[in-house]
Amino acid sequence: MRYAVLGTGIVGRTIAARLVSLGHDVVVGTRDPEATLARTAPDAHGLAPFAQWRAENSAVRLATFAHAAAQGDTVLNTTSGSVSLAVLDAAGAANLAGKVLVDIANPLDFSAGFPPSLDPVNTDSLGERIQRAHPAARVVKTLNTMHTLVMVDPSRIQGDHSVFLSGDDADAKKDVTGLLRSFGWPDRSIIDLGGIETARGTEMLLPVWLRLMTALGHTDFNFHIQGA
C-alpha cells in the first residue's frame, strides 16, 4: 500500500516509520522539501531536524504536499490543526478526491499561550471542516486522543484502552480499522463513534488531557507538536 503522510513533525515521523516497518511505500509531504532538509538545528520545541531523522529512515521519501498526496493511495494528515486546511488545499482537491483521508490533527489554538484552547469547538470540529472543504475525500478522524508512540504501539499501555473512529464513509472506516489493527489495536479497542460530527467529542478531549499532563508534572509536550 502507498501512504502519503502530510507533516514532518513527531507525529508524521512516528506514523511514517511504523508504516515503513510494515512494508508499505511511504512519502512524507512538506511545503518545501529543500528547505525542510536544509534545517540543521532543532526546532523551537527541541525536535531534531528532519534531515537527521530521514538519514535514519532512508526508505521514506520527501515531496511537496501535492506530489505526496498524488502518490498516496491513502493520505494521513499529521500537521498542526491550525494549518491543516491550508496544507490540504496545497495538497490539491484532485489529489485527495476518492481517497481515504485520515485526520490525526487537533485544532489547538496557542494564540493565548499554554495551555491551548480549541478552534473550532463544540458546534464544529476540524474533522468536519476538512470534510466540508474536501467533499470528495473520505475523511476519517482517529488517533488524535493519545500519545504519539501509543498511536502505533498500543501495547505501551497495559490493559484495555480505546481508539475512536469518526467519519461518514463506512468503507473508509473499514479501511482505517484495518490500518489500526496493523498497528496492534485489537478489534475490542476500536470504537466507531459514528459520523464525522462525532470528531467534536474526541477533539474536546485534548484540553483535559493537556491539563492532566500538567497536573502530573509532565512538561515535555514534544509528542503532540506536528509540523508541515
Side-chain angles (χ1 to χ4, degrees):
M1 178 72 75
R2 296 180 301 173
Y3 286 94
V5 177
L6 306 184
T8 59
I10 191 61
V11 177
R13 298 181 195 190
T14 303
I15 295 287
R18 182 69 168 120
L19 289 169
V20 167
S21 76
L22 294 170
H24 298 295
D25 180 86
V26 180
V27 56
V28 168
T30 187
R31 289 187 184 89
D32 184 337
E34 290 187 4
T36 296
L37 292 174
R39 298 185 188 109
T40 58
D43 67 12
H45 307 285
L47 189 63
F50 185 82
Q52 179 179 322
W53 175 86
R54 187 164 177 253
E56 301 167 355
N57 296 269
S58 58
V60 176
R61 291 173 288 117
L62 187 67
T64 64
F65 290 129
H67 283 114
Q71 294 175 53
D73 300 314
T74 296
V75 179
L76 297 97
N77 173 40
T78 72
T79 63
S80 172
S82 61
V83 300
S84 288
L85 288 169
V87 165
L88 292 168
D89 284 345
N95 293 326
L96 300 173
K99 296 180 180 179
V100 176
L101 173 53
V102 183
D103 177 33
I104 307 176
N106 283 298
L108 299 176
D109 180 359
F110 289 91
S111 61
F114 192 91
S117 58
L118 295 177
D119 183 19
V121 67
N122 193 34
T123 58
D124 200 1
S125 66
L126 178 61
E128 290 171 273
R129 288 188 174 181
I130 290 172
Q131 185 64 88
R132 289 197 301 270
H134 296 278
R138 304 154 67 201
V139 179
V140 179
K141 187 89 179 191
T142 192
L143 293 175
N144 63 305
T145 59
M146 65 196 69
H147 188 288
T148 306
L149 296 176
V150 177
M151 295 178 186
V152 299
D153 184 8
S155 68
R156 285 177 172 270
I157 298 178
Q158 295 182 355
D160 288 341
H161 42 289
S162 301
V163 60
F164 306 110
L165 293 172
S166 300
D168 296 334
D169 189 301
D171 288 335
K173 286 191 284 188
K174 288 179 182 178
D175 289 347
V176 176
T177 295
L179 177 63
L180 294 175
R181 288 189 190 120
S182 75
F183 286 169
W185 290 94
D187 285 339
R188 67 179 181 277
S189 296
I190 303 171
I191 301 176
D192 185 345
L193 296 177
I196 192 62
E197 74 280 357
T198 63
R200 300 175 191 180
T202 61
E203 291 178 4
M204 283 192 283
L205 288 174
L206 265 292
V208 174
W209 181 42
L210 293 174
R211 282 160 178 78
L212 179 61
M213 288 190 61
T214 301
L216 295 176
H218 297 289
T219 57
D220 181 3
F221 299 98
N222 273 347
F223 61 84
H224 75 262
I225 300 300
Q226 296 149 306

